[in-house]
Amino acid sequence: MDLLALADFNLVAVHGGFGRASRASGQPKATLSRHVRELEDSLGVRLIERGSRTLRLTEEGAVLHARTGSRIGEIAEALQDVKAGLGRPSGRLRVSVPMLFAHTSLGPLAAAFRDAYPEVLLEASSDDRFVDLVAEAFDVVVRVNPPDSDLVGRCFLRNRQVLVAPPDLARPAAAQAGQSARFPAVMRPGAPDDTPWHVVDEASGQEAQFHPQAVLRLASPLSIRDAVIAGAGAAMIPRSIAVDALASGRLVSWGLSAEPAVEVWVLHGSQRLVSPKVRAFVDFVCDYFDKEAKRDVLTQG
């Protein structure tokens, strides 16, 4: 298959027509049309339905564009990087991160990344929905407990949940393993009242269970934390956002969740060609949080 013809087919598909693709690329319209026709002949299928004024991808054309469009772009970017010299990270890098990550970590991390890679323009969007990496043209996504997919990457943070309470809220005396103890709780919308929270005491390792009774329901973990600090009740929140309040005494811990730690991953496409800017960002995020974890250990020690 002629890669030049494939590249021109994707160019036409992206711009929605031969004329617009010609104006965007500077190539003659006739050349683009000939390359696409040669590609169709080599594959034995029609890729584009040509009308007098409209252009529509066939089913086969849509599949080919979806499977090759980003790869052709990566090949072109790789060639550009090599020409620039040793694949130096540069250009725009589009990243999608969850809202909590954006509120707690993104600002300092982005500034440090900018200092390390001034030729990369980091453009980060925060959203808790499941973004489509290819369809929405993101280079990297940060996801919490990601499902199995064709994306690859690295886990850079494991975050335990901790049951926190204001200092003046008495810990239920009956909260031992196998027994129940109700208490006022700040919970997420939709979280069930009838499911006990199982925790492990950090000092003794003793297990206990608590039965929350919702008195407030808030969507944001940061709002839940602040409501607990203000005395609304106890709550199960990520330990990473409770560390400072626990250290200052504004919150007390009733134990760590018995559930496995939440994993946070930085992910990108599974193609063998990974651009220098993507590789640099993935490595930087992992190194950044590794240093943060070591700093927290030294501080607590």
Side-chain angles (χ1 to χ4, degrees):
M1 183 183 296
D2 188 344
L3 286 180
L4 177 59
L6 180 60
D8 284 347
F9 160 72
N10 279 296
L11 183 68
V12 172
V14 166
H15 290 283
F18 290 98
R20 285 190 288 270
S22 174
R23 288 189 291 274
S25 65
Q27 297 186 67
K29 183 178 175 180
T31 300
L32 294 173
S33 180
R34 176 169 54 83
H35 286 169
V36 171
R37 189 166 55 252
E38 290 172 352
L39 181 62
E40 290 176 324
D41 291 342
S42 70
L43 294 174
V45 296
R46 182 175 290 277
L47 301 174
I48 294 176
E49 296 289 359
R50 300 161 177 82
S52 58
R53 294 189 177 183
T54 61
L55 176 149
R56 181 179 64 83
L57 295 181
T58 65
E59 182 178 353
E60 293 82 3
V63 169
L64 183 63
H65 177 53
R67 296 287 297 274
T68 65
S70 62
R71 290 165 173 79
I72 289 293
E74 288 181 357
I75 293 171
E77 185 177 355
L79 292 173
Q80 196 172 40
D81 286 333
V82 171
K83 285 180 66 177
L86 301 178
R88 184 173 61 252
S90 62
R92 186 176 70 154
L93 179 69
R94 296 196 70 228
V95 179
S96 174
V97 304
M99 296 292 292
L100 182 59
F101 183 87
H103 291 156
T104 59
S105 303
L106 182 59
L109 184 148
F113 182 76
R114 170 68 177 81
D115 287 342
Y117 298 98
E119 294 182 32
V120 178
L121 175 60
L122 178 62
E123 183 180 295
S125 300
S126 54
D127 203 325
D128 285 335
R129 68 183 177 85
F130 194 88
V131 302
D132 187 312
L133 201 72
V134 175
E136 300 180 56
F138 282 105
D139 300 296
V140 178
V141 292
V142 172
R143 286 184 179 156
V144 178
N145 285 345
D148 292 336
S149 71
D150 58 354
L151 301 182
V152 297
R154 293 164 63 185
C155 176
F156 64 87
L157 178 64
R158 290 178 174 84
N159 200 2
R160 291 285 295 273
Q161 298 279 108
V162 59
L163 181 52
V164 295
D168 58 354
L169 180 62
R171 188 177 191 269
Q176 303 302 320
Q179 298 177 320
S180 65
R182 286 207 167 272
F183 63 96
V186 184
M187 302 172 67
R188 299 288 293 269
D193 276 321
D194 56 353
T195 301
W197 289 347
H198 295 271
V199 301
V200 178
D201 184 87
E202 295 184 66
S204 66
Q206 186 177 18
E207 292 188 14
Q209 68 176 14
F210 297 85
H211 285 259
Q213 183 171 0
V215 295
L216 275 179
R217 291 189 180 273
L218 303 173
S220 165
L222 294 174
S223 297
I224 292 175
R225 179 200 62 190
D226 293 344
V228 175
I229 292 174
M236 191 78 78
I237 62 175
R239 189 174 187 179
S240 61
I241 67 172
V243 169
D244 291 341
L246 289 169
S248 66
R250 291 176 294 159
L251 291 177
V252 295
S253 170
W254 287 0
L256 291 175
S257 171
E259 296 293 322
V262 171
E263 293 188 345
V264 187
W265 287 65
V266 56
L267 301 165
H268 57 89
S270 60
Q271 298 95 326
R272 290 189 301 114
L273 285 173
V274 180
S275 69
K277 63 186 178 184
V278 169
R279 184 180 297 109
F281 184 76
V282 171
D283 291 343
F284 186 87
V285 168
C286 294
D287 291 344
Y288 180 91
F289 277 89
D290 182 58
K291 291 175 183 176
E292 286 291 299
K294 291 175 180 176
R295 181 185 62 79
D296 289 342
V297 169
L298 290 173
T299 301
Q300 294 169 14

